[in-house]
Amino acid sequence: MTAPLSAWPWEILGSFKYMLYGPFLARILYTRYQDETINKNPNWCLHIIILCLLRGFMYQGWNSYASMLFITRNRQIIKKGADFKQIDKEWHWDNFILLQAIVTALGFSMFPDLETLGVWNKKGIIVVIILHVAVSEPLYYYVHKCFHENKYLFNHYHSLHHSSAVPQVYTAGHATFLEHILLTVVIGVPIIGSFVLGYGSISLIYGYVLMFDTLRCLGHSNVEIIPHQIFDKIPMLRYIVYTPTYHSLHHAEMGTNYCLFMPLFDAFGNTLNSKSRDMHKKISLDSGKNSRVPDFVFLAHIVDMSSAMHAPFVIRSMASMPYYTRIYLLPLLPISFLVMLIMWAKSKTFLNSFYNLRNRLHQTWVVPRYGFQYFLPFAAEGINKQIEEAILRADRLGVKVISLAALNKNEALNGGGTLFVNKHPNLKVRVVHEKNVRVLMLTLSTERFRKIQKEAPADCQKCLVQVTKYQAAQNCKTWIVGKWITSREQTFAPSGTQFHQFVVPAIHQFRRDCSYGDLAAMKLPEDVEGLGSCEYTMERGVVHACHAGGVVHSLEGWIHNEVGAIDVDRIDIVWKAALKHGLKPVSSIRKSV
């Protein structure tokens, strides 16, 4: 049986919970357009909505920063990623913002005099600090400790918060209804106290709430940004404010570091983890060093300005689902266009995401170039330079395998990677594109591949073996699409044609009288860890064939480069190795479902 107050009242609404903000908006419009105002200051609903938006942006901003691995990877405390399971559990992390908005609205309704608050009162700052230290901090410490020491409270309530394996910014909001009611009391005491004493103000509410959220985000960010030198120079400061390392230790060992923001109360309660100081210093010092070297790197590129926003550091929940054009993001396209220009002028290859597979670290690096740029003759040299620098960097770091994705291995651009291997014959890193996997994935099984090859007309036989060129006849109902084709080009195919594609991005499904095969893709093994973002339009855990091929190359420990033309003799070898290591073709997954 569900424990009392463990579930949220609007849980059944899902994402429709945001409709509960409707009355606030209705109130704003009503007081704005009516002739006679009921209250002296009818803007309190407007302040609530603005504050809710600011809080949402606060958490989003912190999450974006913490997820920018090209900036924060060396400062990560727990060197793991949040997987899809954790992201799904934390999907409604912002429930507490709605709860506190409703509580605030009730407060304004019950005490109309609050609507006459001034904008600023400097004495209120002193009062709110005193009340926070004297009431909120010890209250939270005591309640938090009770939720850990009482088995019923922990198992039925607080265990939900600790079910997130890797602390993330959004983990701060991932808790039960009862816990956030208590947290609302904790955050409300200093504000209400300042009002009762006559020192409340609008700016005090904004300032205290946003600072409260800032410190909550800091503690759950899993990124250590506070240098240890500060505590060496001012030792007392380590008892005044906690660090991300300090709170991460609480999530790791749970029996210590219960404080809200001030470790002073852990010191008083004898629950301060003795490792806190040394661990913080070590992580701070290590931030200037290179982190663990990846075993495998998938070198991708950006497809277009819309899909550029499908990154973990933009909107985590969106990145955890297959990409499609979202209407609500269209207003951001001008910003995406500006970022594209900046990246074209300044950016270098950067780290986008990572996961672990059988004690091997796999990373995705992104060449800061968009799909259309690969077809600009004057941009080819610069793109090849970016790819070459990424390969050389991987070689210096000690990466074992680097796989070229999509247009990064374009035959016309660099001969499928042969340009770099020939230019640098002493490379230790293995450069691969694994077209062998992609050939088999055209039909997602060797048996179906041979059937199509047998049934295809004579003038299309070459397409099924030598797939580096697009060939098809108007009377052929099996099209192997190796390069992106337009809707107009699809009109040449007869009715009933099957389009088997191994091209990124996928071709538009223009013909309703034809069928379109899946992109060449495979699902990663079940024991993959820390994977929390989708690869372009792929389903969760599914990667493009060139990515899968690189994974196989790494797991097998092959020491040869896989570039240039397809080695037909190795197709079955690569395919069997992929199946041996637990990779599954997309078609077999759908059949099993």
Side-chain angles (χ1 to χ4, degrees):
M1 182 179 292
T2 303
L5 299 179
S6 61
W8 289 85
W10 49 79
E11 190 173 301
I12 193 173
L13 296 178
S15 295
F16 289 103
K17 68 183 181 185
Y18 297 111
M19 294 175 63
L20 296 176
Y21 286 105
F24 294 95
L25 297 175
R27 167 80 180 196
I28 294 170
L29 293 174
Y30 176 71
T31 55
R32 179 178 177 86
Y33 292 109
Q34 69 174 337
D35 294 329
E36 297 179 1
T37 56
I38 297 174
N39 301 301
K40 297 178 181 179
N41 183 4
N43 292 324
W44 59 268
C45 272
L46 179 61
H47 286 300
I48 290 176
I49 291 295
I50 292 174
L51 187 55
C52 288
L53 289 173
L54 289 175
R55 299 182 78 183
F57 287 135
M58 170 78 73
Y59 277 82
Q60 173 59 46
W62 270 97
N63 182 74
S64 293
Y65 167 74
S67 301
M68 291 179 178
L69 300 175
F70 49 91
I71 297 176
T72 63
R73 67 183 181 278
N74 293 336
R75 294 182 175 273
Q76 281 193 327
I77 300 165
I78 299 176
K79 309 291 185 180
K80 295 180 181 179
D83 58 18
F84 294 118
K85 183 178 179 181
Q86 177 174 338
I87 292 172
D88 287 344
K89 286 192 297 185
E90 297 175 355
W91 199 274
H92 294 285
W93 63 271
D94 58 344
N95 276 330
F96 73 96
I97 298 179
L98 176 57
L99 168 66
Q100 292 170 11
I102 294 173
V103 171
T104 304
L106 291 174
F108 275 107
S109 299
M110 294 170 63
F111 303 99
D113 290 342
L114 293 176
E115 298 182 7
T116 61
L117 286 174
V119 176
W120 171 256
N121 189 323
K122 62 182 179 181
K123 292 182 180 179
I125 299 175
I126 299 173
V127 171
V128 83
I129 291 174
I130 292 174
L131 289 174
H132 176 85
V133 175
V135 182
S136 292
E137 286 284 348
L139 176 61
Y140 180 89
Y141 174 84
Y142 175 75
V143 171
H144 191 189
K145 187 177 180 182
C146 286
F147 270 94
H148 274 271
E149 294 183 346
N150 185 292
K151 290 184 178 180
Y152 179 85
L153 291 178
F154 183 82
N155 292 335
H156 290 82
Y157 297 96
H158 199 50
S159 60
L160 178 68
H161 179 68
H162 281 277
S163 66
S164 297
V166 183
Q168 299 274 289
V169 172
Y170 295 142
T171 306
H174 181 51
T176 60
F177 184 50
L178 174 62
E179 290 175 283
H180 274 298
I181 289 175
L182 296 173
L183 188 65
T184 301
V185 174
V186 170
I187 194 174
V189 166
I191 297 175
I192 295 173
S194 66
F195 291 168
V196 172
L197 296 174
Y199 300 118
S201 65
I202 295 297
S203 58
L204 183 143
I205 298 175
Y206 277 87
Y208 180 72
V209 171
L210 293 178
M211 182 56 68
F212 195 96
D213 285 343
T214 296
L215 292 173
R216 294 261 295 163
C217 291
L218 172 70
H220 290 87
S221 65
N222 194 38
V223 176
E224 187 53 78
I225 64 173
I226 301 178
H228 72 281
Q229 292 89 343
I230 293 179
F231 298 122
D232 292 338
K233 293 179 180 179
I234 313 175
M236 272 302 297
L237 192 60
R238 65 170 55 95
Y239 296 105
I240 304 302
V241 61
Y242 74 167
T243 66
T245 303
Y246 187 92
H247 194 67
S248 289
L249 268 173
H250 168 71
H251 275 261
E253 301 186 6
M254 287 194 284
T256 57
N257 295 4
Y258 294 123
C259 76
L260 179 57
F261 306 130
M262 299 178 66
L264 176 66
F265 292 92
D266 277 309
F268 287 157
N270 197 31
T271 54
L272 196 155
N273 195 310
S274 59
K275 303 175 186 176
S276 301
R277 182 179 178 182
D278 293 339
M279 185 174 174
H280 173 248
K281 185 174 183 178
K282 181 180 183 301
I283 293 174
S284 179
L285 289 172
D286 289 346
S287 65
K289 304 175 184 178
N290 285 326
S291 56
R292 177 183 170 185
V293 176
D295 299 277
F296 164 70
V297 168
F298 180 58
L299 188 61
H301 65 80
I302 306 167
V303 177
D304 54 42
M305 283 180 285
S306 178
S307 64
M309 293 182 277
H310 187 253
F313 55 82
V314 179
I315 301 177
R316 187 182 73 165
S317 57
M318 185 177 73
S320 71
M321 302 297 289
Y323 166 75
Y324 63 90
T325 301
R326 291 167 169 83
I327 297 176
Y328 59 84
L329 290 180
L330 294 181
L332 298 180
L333 285 179
I335 299 176
S336 183
F337 177 75
L338 180 61
V339 171
M340 183 270 292
L341 295 178
I342 296 173
M343 293 176 69
W344 199 349
K346 296 284 187 181
S347 184
K348 296 181 180 180
T349 298
F350 60 90
L351 172 61
N352 182 62
S353 61
F354 73 97
Y355 61 88
N356 292 280
L357 180 62
R358 297 166 193 171
N359 296 321
R360 290 178 170 87
L361 176 60
H362 293 191
Q363 293 182 347
T364 295
W365 296 0
V366 178
V367 174
R369 294 296 182 268
Y370 290 65
F372 77 91
Q373 293 171 318
Y374 285 78
F375 300 98
L376 301 176
F378 61 85
E381 183 179 351
I383 293 173
N384 275 333
K385 184 178 180 181
Q386 289 274 357
I387 299 172
E388 182 180 7
E389 288 177 352
I391 292 173
L392 293 177
R393 178 187 168 204
D395 192 58
R396 289 193 302 270
L397 290 174
V399 177
K400 296 180 176 64
V401 178
I402 184 168
S403 179
L404 306 182
L407 296 174
N408 285 335
K409 58 176 179 293
N410 191 350
E411 294 284 343
L413 183 68
N414 51 47
T418 55
L419 173 66
F420 312 114
V421 173
N422 293 337
K423 186 176 180 180
H424 303 282
N426 296 322
L427 286 174
K428 294 180 181 178
V429 62
R430 301 297 93 184
V431 182
V432 303
H433 57 46
E434 291 298 356
K435 287 185 179 178
N436 295 320
V437 174
R438 296 174 72 205
V439 170
L440 282 178
M441 292 303 296
L442 290 174
T443 52
L444 305 178
S445 70
T446 53
E447 291 76 15
R448 191 176 174 193
F449 175 82
R450 287 163 183 160
K451 180 180 179 181
I452 289 178
Q453 186 181 41
K454 182 178 179 180
E455 295 177 354
D459 58 347
C460 292
Q461 291 286 343
K462 191 177 181 181
C463 305
L464 300 170
V465 180
Q466 225 172 20
V467 292
T468 57
K469 293 182 179 180
Y470 168 76
Q471 289 187 356
Q474 289 188 3
N475 63 345
C476 179
K477 290 191 176 183
T478 301
W479 282 40
I480 307 300
V481 184
K483 293 182 180 179
W484 202 84
I485 59 175
T486 65
S487 299
R488 179 180 178 276
E489 289 171 320
Q490 293 181 41
T491 61
F492 293 106
S495 179
T497 295
Q498 294 179 336
F499 291 97
H500 297 275
Q501 52 184 321
F502 64 112
V503 57
V504 177
I507 61 176
H508 297 305
Q509 297 188 13
F510 171 72
R511 295 285 300 276
R512 295 187 177 182
D513 58 339
C514 299
S515 60
Y516 295 80
D518 297 315
L519 285 177
M522 300 190 81
K523 185 174 176 62
L524 292 171
E526 296 295 333
D527 54 342
V528 64
E529 299 175 328
L531 181 63
S533 59
C534 290
E535 193 169 282
Y536 194 42
T537 58
M538 299 290 103
E539 297 291 334
R540 288 181 167 186
V542 177
V543 297
H544 294 92
C546 45
H547 187 152
V551 171
V552 173
H553 207 99
S554 173
L555 292 175
E556 283 291 303
W558 289 331
I559 59 174
H560 65 280
N561 293 307
E562 191 82 48
V563 295
I566 295 171
D567 184 354
V568 179
D569 294 334
R570 288 191 56 80
I571 291 178
D572 285 337
I573 296 174
V574 175
W575 180 255
K576 290 177 181 178
L579 298 180
K580 179 183 74 175
H581 287 290
L583 284 86
K584 299 178 182 178
V586 174
S587 61
S588 68
I589 297 168
R590 291 179 178 174
K591 282 181 180 179
S592 62
V593 172

